[in-house]
Amino acid sequence: MTGTGTAIATQDYDVIVIGSGMGGLVTATQLATKGAKVLVLEKYLIPGGSAGYFERKGYCFDVGASMIFGFGTEGTTNLLTRALDAVDMEIDTIPDPVQIHYHLPNNLELKVHKDYDNFLEELTAIFPHEKIGIRRFYDECWRVFNCLNAMELLSLEEPRYLMRVFFQHPLACLGLVKYLPQNVGDIARRHISDPELLKFIDMECYCWSVVPAEKTPMINAGMVFSDRHYGGINYPKGGVGTIAQKLAKGLEKFGGKIQYKARVTNILMEKGRAVGVELADGKEYRAKRIVSNATRWDTFENLLPKNEIPRKEEKWQQRYEKSPSFLSLHLGVKSDILPIGTECHHILLEQWENIEDEQGTIFVSIPTLLDSSLAPENRHIIHTFTPSYIQEWEGLSNQEYNYKKEEAATRLIRRLESIFPGLVDSLDYQEIGTPRTHRRFLGRNDGTYGPIPSHKLPGLLGMPFNRTVIPGLYCVGDSTFPGQGLNAVAFSGFACSHRIAVDLGL
């Protein structure tokens, strides 16, 4: 298949990256520093995807979550710091002493402190009969993290890298091999028996994996549950969008290019190989390697011919399904609504059985508690989001759609008032986005947050790496190992760029 556009193919590149999400930007910048000729094509006006931003009436809102891992200064898991350093970029960050303030059923109130022992003490005070099990479970997470943090995190598809790492860190490698097929739920039940504490572990996983503990890979949990105490949660000054802006600037500094308002509609194929892309305006660009930062559903169902979906991808789609998207409520509020000591991040759930339901769990970020410059004086941002599926928002007239959005916003604000009494009277600005919004502006199939296991799988063993069965085509982002989250997709970017650099002989 070749493109249908009449425009003449432009200058060839070593690598074309479709999309400027964090995985795509890390891939592009890493390759640019190695001397590759790189072009990033972004359909929107700014880089970042779900790590982007938008401005309204003096407020600078993060598109996605404000809880950022990967900005530590020690070890090897500080992938955002490393990605910026590679292109001579730097961002001032603001440390957050508490990862999450949980507001859970049966009046379970708990803060996850950066200080590990403080967190365990607070959790043990609620479940004193599980003191030993709590320590053993979270210590086991540390064992996973210490294995990861001992080695440079690059492509697991590159044999020479694997051999080098194994000889340098044999015990760490064997430790990771042990945990690779395991899920959090199985390990938690070895140490813990209290049903409500196990539900809390489910929420600890769900807040970033969007699945309970039995479906959450232990490798991922080891990273998250430990790095929040090791590198910590550090918010980028100026907002999450500054990360993508700095990476885009660094890409151009090292000779790469990023083109906005460039919507890729087709991946060009010749003799079974990916050789370029075609844009909506008919322009064609060619490269030795093509990288898709779109979801695997968008990549193999929309950018490639549907009747040519590889069997391997069909099998992957049987193992993984689309996670829900989000209903996002961006609020500007008067500062005095938040009492002294309010934490930046909160999770609210009233009934355990609703944890995975449509609009069941509520996530809250208040980034202006860390960086007041994001809002007008005497104002705060409260970004609230809750899982929601595209099916809930389709087949509606404009009037029905707008009414349903307002109804959902009112319902969310009413629930938030259990944490922030008087919130409704403090509103200064309000904007709501649905899965349709995420699909439109982020270009994600059904607005999905990423893939989740359709049933219990053996840890991360089913998650694909960056190479695809189509020669010349790679995938990066949350549809590849190790999955969702800003630091995780940065990992996929490091891995993808490493694999491509080896393939190109850079």
Side-chain angles (χ1 to χ4, degrees), residues 66-73 91-100 112-115 227-238 342-345 366-371:
S66 306
M67 187 190 304
I68 308 301
F69 295 85
F71 271 129
T73 58
I91 292 179
D92 291 332
T93 59
I94 305 159
D96 190 350
V98 171
Q99 180 209 15
I100 296 174
V112 180
H113 301 275
K114 182 180 187 296
D115 186 280
D227 193 38
R228 62 190 182 185
H229 307 292
Y230 181 83
I233 309 299
N234 299 280
Y235 188 77
K237 190 166 181 55
T342 300
E343 304 299 346
C344 180
H345 300 103
I366 315 174
T368 42
L369 288 170
L370 300 174
D371 184 356

Side-chain angles (χ1 to χ4, degrees), residues 397-415:
S397 68
N398 286 340
Q399 184 177 1
E400 290 170 333
Y401 180 59
N402 290 328
Y403 177 79
K404 187 169 183 174
K405 285 202 299 182
E406 292 304 314
E407 189 180 48
T410 300
R411 189 166 53 248
L412 279 176
I413 291 170
R414 190 181 306 125
R415 291 173 67 187

Side-chain angles (χ1 to χ4, degrees), residues 348-351 354 358-362 386 409-420 423:
L348 171 64
L349 179 68
E350 296 89 351
Q351 302 292 331
N354 297 339
E358 164 81 19
Q359 299 179 44
T361 299
I362 293 180
T386 185
T410 300
R411 189 166 53 248
L412 279 176
I413 291 170
R414 190 181 306 125
R415 291 173 67 187
L416 284 175
E417 286 206 309
S418 67
I419 308 175
F420 310 118
L423 177 62

Side-chain angles (χ1 to χ4, degrees), residues 18-24 42-43 48-51 63-64 210 263 292-299 301-302 316 321-326 390 394 434-452 463 476-480 483-486 489:
I18 305 168
S20 67
M22 198 56 55
E42 169 56 49
K43 64 175 287 189
S50 57
V63 170
V210 206
R263 183 167 67 90
S292 176
N293 193 195
T295 70
R296 294 187 94 87
W297 295 283
D298 288 295
T299 301
E301 294 177 9
N302 298 331
W316 180 82
E321 62 188 17
K322 298 167 197 170
S323 76
S325 184
F326 286 101
I390 193 76
E394 294 197 304
T434 72
R436 284 168 53 170
T437 315
H438 287 264
R439 180 177 63 186
R440 177 185 176 189
F441 289 101
L442 302 182
R444 297 184 65 85
N445 196 293
D446 291 343
T448 180
Y449 176 67
I452 56 176
M463 203 65 178
V476 72
D478 51 34
S479 295
T480 62
Q484 300 155 346
L486 209 56
V489 298

Side-chain angles (χ1 to χ4, degrees), residues 181-194:
Q182 299 192 61
N183 292 320
V184 178
D186 295 329
I187 291 177
R189 284 191 293 272
R190 291 177 201 163
H191 304 299
I192 294 167
S193 59
D194 186 291

Side-chain angles (χ1 to χ4, degrees), residues 420-432:
F420 310 118
L423 177 62
V424 69
D425 297 322
S426 182
L427 294 179
D428 178 58
Y429 180 82
Q430 175 180 318
E431 184 165 339
I432 189 165

